[in-house]
Amino acid sequence: MQWSYIEVPLRYGQGKDGVDQGPSKLRELGLEALLPEGTAKRTIRVLPESEIRENEEHLKRVDGVLYTVNELAEAVHEEVQANRFPLIVGGDHSMAIGTLAGLAKTGPYGVIWVDAHADLNTGETSPSGNIHGMPLAAAMGMGDVRLTEVGGRERKLLPEHLVYIGLRDIDEGEIREINRLGIKVITVEEVRTRGADVIMQEAIAYLRERVGRFYVSFDMDSFDASLVAGTGTPVDGGLTAAEGKAIVAEAMTADELIAIELVELNPSLDVEDKTAQLAFALCETIVKSKENLLLES
Ligand SMILES: [Mn+2]
């Protein structure tokens, strides 16, 4: 299996400077040396601030987000079509609108969304207007058409093909939607009491039954706030480092995994690069798990 490494230095989906530096910080820590030989590398373009025109209150810097997610959708589609396995590094979570749309062009798939937040808001329900809280709503066809129609008009994701892990800071409108749509939710408590490997096996089996292929989107704020000063919206009561690593390691063992994404590392907010090092360690787990898998087969 060939790898593809996609950097997405996007920050327009939220309000804090620095999250665009996630990919460059990981490179500084030595990520390039970690990637398997022959990895295809791409950096997705981002509009300069001076070209942002549409700063709507309910969809902030929407043109900046749209520009990059359209490019990312194209890139993800191409890489998966070429039979490569994309590791996608951000950047804020609005980028996932592009990942979800790009994957949809290659056929149905499921998602394991590891995050403190449900990212299920629309322009109407979002308290902040930040698009990084909207990617799953957009992929399921809810909200502004400019977001739902990235990569085509069809729905990119069905609610029964989504599994959440680590949710603990959910807006009221989102709780209603999760219940209405019957989306599967695995709490931090369940991860802790039953084991990351066990709950991941279940999540993968759940998706295998319903759809087959899946991707993992991992938000750094799924970790406990004490571990991730370097992320925009840290929340208490999150995953330990070991739990996060076990979740990605377990995902990597599944043949059905088609891509993995790591978002919301903000080096400007970080303390002594601790969050960056944790993100780097996750990348290391991701690459090494697949290496082991290749050696075994
Ligand atoms: Mn998120």
Side-chain angles (χ1 to χ4, degrees):
M1 165 84 81
Q2 286 262 309
W3 286 68
S4 160
Y5 182 65
I6 305 178
E7 298 182 325
V8 190
L10 176 65
R11 67 182 159 90
Y12 297 135
Q14 50 82 64
K16 293 174 186 171
D17 287 342
V19 70
D20 50 318
Q21 303 300 315
S24 58
K25 172 55 78 174
L26 289 173
R27 235 184 293 141
E28 186 190 310
L29 294 179
L31 191 78
E32 295 225 31
L34 198 69
L35 297 171
E37 214 167 298
T39 298
K41 292 171 203 160
R42 322 177 56 144
T43 300
I44 305 302
R45 287 182 296 179
V46 176
L47 282 181
E49 181 101 52
S50 59
E51 288 179 33
I52 304 293
R53 299 277 178 271
E54 296 170 34
N55 198 9
E56 298 166 26
E57 195 190 334
H58 298 289
L59 289 177
K60 292 189 180 142
R61 300 189 283 195
V62 63
D63 48 350
V65 171
L66 285 172
Y67 180 85
T68 295
V69 298
N70 275 296
E71 298 246 326
L72 178 59
E74 208 50 54
V76 167
H77 178 217
E78 282 169 18
E79 295 304 320
V80 174
Q81 283 297 102
N83 220 5
R84 286 192 283 265
F85 178 84
L87 165 58
I88 308 157
V89 169
D92 76 67
H93 221 164
S94 67
M95 67 193 248
I97 294 171
T99 311
L100 291 151
L103 291 176
K105 289 187 197 188
T106 69
Y109 63 96
V111 180
I112 299 182
W113 197 266
V114 191
D115 201 319
H117 309 92
D119 296 351
L120 202 52
N121 273 303
T122 63
E124 288 79 54
T125 65
S126 167
S128 68
N130 287 330
I131 299 175
H132 76 157
M134 309 181 191
L136 286 171
M140 291 193 278
M142 301 182 284
D144 192 280
V145 288
R146 286 167 295 175
L147 301 181
T148 59
E149 292 190 354
V150 170
R153 288 192 170 173
E154 71 286 355
R155 280 204 289 178
K156 316 303 183 310
L157 179 69
L158 299 176
E160 58 267 37
H161 295 167
L162 169 61
V163 178
Y164 281 122
I165 299 180
L167 297 193
R168 57 198 187 281
D169 182 12
I170 321 172
D171 299 319
E172 226 160 279
E174 291 181 312
I175 296 175
R176 272 197 304 276
E177 283 302 288
I178 289 169
N179 291 331
R180 182 177 72 85
L181 299 168
I183 301 171
K184 184 172 176 64
V185 178
I186 297 170
T187 62
V188 174
E189 173 81 28
E190 280 176 87
V191 174
R192 195 138 311 147
T193 54
R194 306 188 50 226
D197 51 343
V198 174
I199 61 95
M200 278 302 284
Q201 300 278 4
E202 280 183 11
I204 294 164
Y206 176 91
L207 294 175
R208 191 177 281 143
E209 255 171 48
R210 285 163 180 78
V211 60
R213 310 181 312 153
F214 71 98
Y215 108 102
V216 172
S217 191
F218 194 106
D219 191 318
M220 290 303 289
D221 67 31
S222 60
F223 286 115
D224 188 72
S226 64
L227 301 172
V228 287
T231 195
T233 50
V235 184
D236 288 336
L239 301 171
T240 65
E243 286 163 349
K245 285 179 204 167
I247 284 169
V248 302
E250 203 60 39
M252 294 303 292
T253 65
D255 290 335
E256 294 92 342
L257 184 72
I258 50 169
I260 193 159
E261 172 175 76
L262 185 58
V263 303
E264 299 282 356
L265 164 63
N266 186 330
S268 305
L269 303 172
D270 211 354
V271 177
E272 294 164 2
D273 280 353
K274 279 186 186 151
T275 311
Q277 274 155 12
L278 183 53
F280 185 86
L282 275 188
C283 290
E284 206 165 20
T285 302
I286 289 165
V287 174
K288 297 220 161 126
S289 307
K290 207 74 175 182
E291 268 176 3
N292 293 341
L293 206 67
L294 291 175
L295 289 174
E296 283 163 23
S297 60

